[in-house]
Amino acid sequence: LKSLLMDGDGQHPPFMIRRLKTDALQGLPKKTVVPYQVEMPPAQAQAYKDVVVRAAAASASGTLGKGGMLTFLAAMRGVSLHPQDPREAVGDLATYGSESARVVSALKVIDAAKAKSEKVLVFVEDLAMQDRFATLLQARYGLKRRPMQINGGVPGLNRQKMVDLFQAEAGSFDVMILSPKAGGVGLTITAANHVIHLSRWWNPAVEDQATDRVYRIGQTKD
């Protein structure tokens, strides 16, 4: 069916023509998508297992209630990001970072970007985790200011001011933290050439839009 729609059948032209950004915009650098598949640290793996066991027990006993499994799925998603609720107090930030497979992987990417004086966008939905991650990055890299954050609570004009500042500081290491929805459309942030999805959005198209904040006209780096 896809072939018929997009290629035609030899006697009739295709019903649909799809043009990719790479076809339309010549000279864009290479975009490489790297999925990281890593095992959770023991504490995170145990916290995830505990949520699964509680969900199974609630299901078996018939006490889930309406929407109960969605609550457990949300808990599983949260633990996948970090076993501790980011709203709770935390002691040593380095230890906190080591407890999440996603945070550990993200920091490796950011370490490599810093070594090359390049910029990074980090997309994460949870606002408390945005704050916690920004504090962690400032401490880890000795930044003069916390990484800027763009989310639904930041007015549009302020968002553009943050982007302008981020864009103006070319050739230096920096990180910006954004919500997939608020920061995923309407912004051009070509000063960055690394994008990290610290938490995953349910719709891959939204993630693609977010990634393409950096993959636009004006981007010069892979």
Side-chain angles (χ1 to χ4, degrees):
L1 178 59
K2 179 185 176 185
S3 176
L4 176 63
L5 287 171
M6 301 193 71
D7 301 331
D9 60 5
Q11 297 179 339
H12 304 91
F15 291 93
M16 177 173 64
I17 297 176
R18 183 184 182 204
R19 185 174 64 169
L20 301 177
K21 183 182 293 188
T22 47
D23 299 330
L25 301 179
Q26 299 300 317
L28 274 180
K30 182 173 64 174
K31 178 170 73 171
T32 304
V33 178
V34 184
Y36 287 83
Q37 190 168 7
V38 295
E39 290 190 12
M40 293 179 179
Q44 186 178 26
Q46 185 60 51
Y48 189 92
K49 181 179 179 181
D50 290 346
V51 175
V52 173
V53 169
R54 293 204 313 271
S59 178
S61 64
T63 59
L64 266 179
K66 186 177 181 180
M69 191 54 73
L70 290 177
T71 301
F72 280 112
L73 286 172
M76 291 165 67
R77 187 168 182 257
V79 170
S80 295
L81 179 57
H82 200 285
Q84 292 188 43
D85 188 327
R87 293 154 192 80
E88 298 175 355
V90 66
D92 180 59
L93 281 170
T95 301
Y96 178 85
S98 70
E99 294 171 340
S100 164
R102 294 191 181 202
V103 172
V104 169
S105 296
L107 291 176
K108 289 179 180 178
V109 175
I110 297 171
D111 285 346
K114 186 178 188 303
K116 295 185 285 186
S117 296
E118 295 179 339
K119 297 182 187 292
V120 186
L121 302 188
V122 178
F123 286 94
V124 57
E125 180 186 2
D126 189 287
L127 299 185
M129 179 54 86
Q130 287 187 11
D131 288 335
R132 180 62 52 79
F133 196 63
T135 303
L136 171 61
L137 293 181
Q138 185 178 22
R140 181 181 178 90
Y141 300 110
L143 303 176
K144 294 180 180 178
R145 58 164 172 76
R146 283 195 355 152
M148 293 180 285
Q149 297 166 236
I150 293 180
N151 52 54
V154 179
L157 185 60
N158 289 358
R159 295 180 195 181
Q160 191 56 53
K161 287 180 179 178
M162 291 181 185
V163 170
D164 292 343
L165 177 60
F166 190 81
Q167 290 280 101
E169 298 173 343
S172 61
F173 168 72
D174 200 358
V175 182
M176 180 179 280
I177 301 171
L178 311 95
S179 298
K181 293 292 284 184
V185 293
L187 299 176
T188 296
I189 319 179
T190 50
N193 64 310
H194 301 272
V195 177
I196 297 172
H197 291 280
L198 190 60
S199 62
R200 303 302 305 273
W201 192 261
W202 63 270
N203 184 349
V206 172
E207 288 192 345
D208 290 344
Q209 279 190 322
T211 298
D212 283 354
R213 298 309 93 206
V214 309
Y215 193 61
R216 307 172 75 79
I217 293 176
Q219 181 58 264
T220 59
K221 297 181 178 180
D222 290 342

